[in-house]
Amino acid sequence: MFNYYIYRSYFNARHSFNGDREKMHGHSFTIVTYIGMKEQSEDIPFFKLEAIVSAFIDQYRGKYLNELPEFQGCENTLETIGDYFYEELRQRLEKNGMELYQLDISENPLCVYQVSDRLLLPTMNMDTSNRNYQKIFDDILRLEGMTGANNLQ
């Protein structure tokens, strides 16, 4: 069995593309994290998970992101922000025996950027996810059959 928590955070911040202050605009960002324990036999200490994620997100509340060192010299798109948040949170959680499986970030409900270093977790519904996973496995078997990789054992 594969267990994980979904923890959702919200924060308001401003950004602009290429540091153009005249085009600065704000968003109410939504961050959704999918977090599990490195040792699947352990329960996730939710209070610890919440403290780590909240402390990280709190430093960006009400800020103009372009003025922060970590976002200087880049375009500050949803993707850039999401990639940075994913990597930073992944490292912080890892130090506490947890794994960040996926991070979703959005500036509005219609546009969600998902970051993961593994197969993305099911987000629509299990039937769709199962079909997607089955297609991946079928493609692997088909490719192995074409290359004779399964005969190398």
Side-chain angles (χ1 to χ4, degrees):
M1 183 181 297
F2 186 73
N3 299 316
Y4 57 92
Y5 275 103
I6 299 174
Y7 183 72
R8 191 176 313 267
S9 303
Y10 304 92
F11 73 101
N12 295 318
R14 295 163 292 148
H15 73 119
S16 62
F17 302 111
N18 299 320
D20 184 352
R21 280 181 132 333
E22 290 185 18
K23 295 187 178 178
M24 176 175 40
H25 58 281
H27 294 286
S28 292
F29 289 94
T30 301
I31 304 288
V32 182
T33 52
Y34 301 77
I35 301 169
M37 292 300 290
K38 283 189 167 206
E39 299 295 325
Q40 284 290 321
S41 60
E42 295 181 38
D43 288 334
I44 297 173
F46 191 78
F47 67 93
K48 196 173 193 180
L49 173 161
E50 183 179 22
I52 293 167
V53 175
S54 293
F56 177 77
I57 298 297
D58 284 349
Q59 65 187 329
Y60 298 102
R61 292 185 193 284
K63 303 284 173 126
Y64 175 46
L65 299 178
N66 296 65
E67 292 179 339
L68 302 174
E70 57 268 45
F71 295 114
Q72 290 181 351
C74 64
E75 287 195 39
N76 293 311
T77 61
L78 185 63
E79 296 81 6
T80 306
I81 297 165
D83 290 344
Y84 177 78
F85 278 23
Y86 175 83
E87 189 56 35
E88 287 295 311
L89 279 169
R90 186 189 65 73
Q91 291 174 21
R92 291 168 193 234
L93 290 163
E94 192 172 274
K95 289 177 186 174
N96 289 276
M98 294 177 245
E99 287 188 84
L100 178 59
Y101 298 131
Q102 180 174 313
L103 180 141
D104 300 348
I105 182 172
S106 62
E107 352 175 275
N108 68 61
L110 302 176
C111 180
V112 178
Y113 178 65
Q114 297 181 313
V115 187
S116 180
D117 59 0
R118 61 193 78 224
L119 281 175
L120 294 176
L121 297 172
T123 54
M124 292 174 53
N125 64 53
M126 283 309 287
D127 289 338
T128 301
S129 296
N130 288 336
R131 278 194 307 275
N132 291 343
Y133 292 140
Q134 189 60 52
K135 182 174 181 344
I136 290 168
F137 295 129
D138 290 346
D139 287 347
I140 290 169
L141 291 173
R142 182 179 53 78
L143 291 171
E144 284 178 347
M146 291 171 48
T147 63
N150 57 351
N151 297 328
L152 298 175
Q153 297 175 1

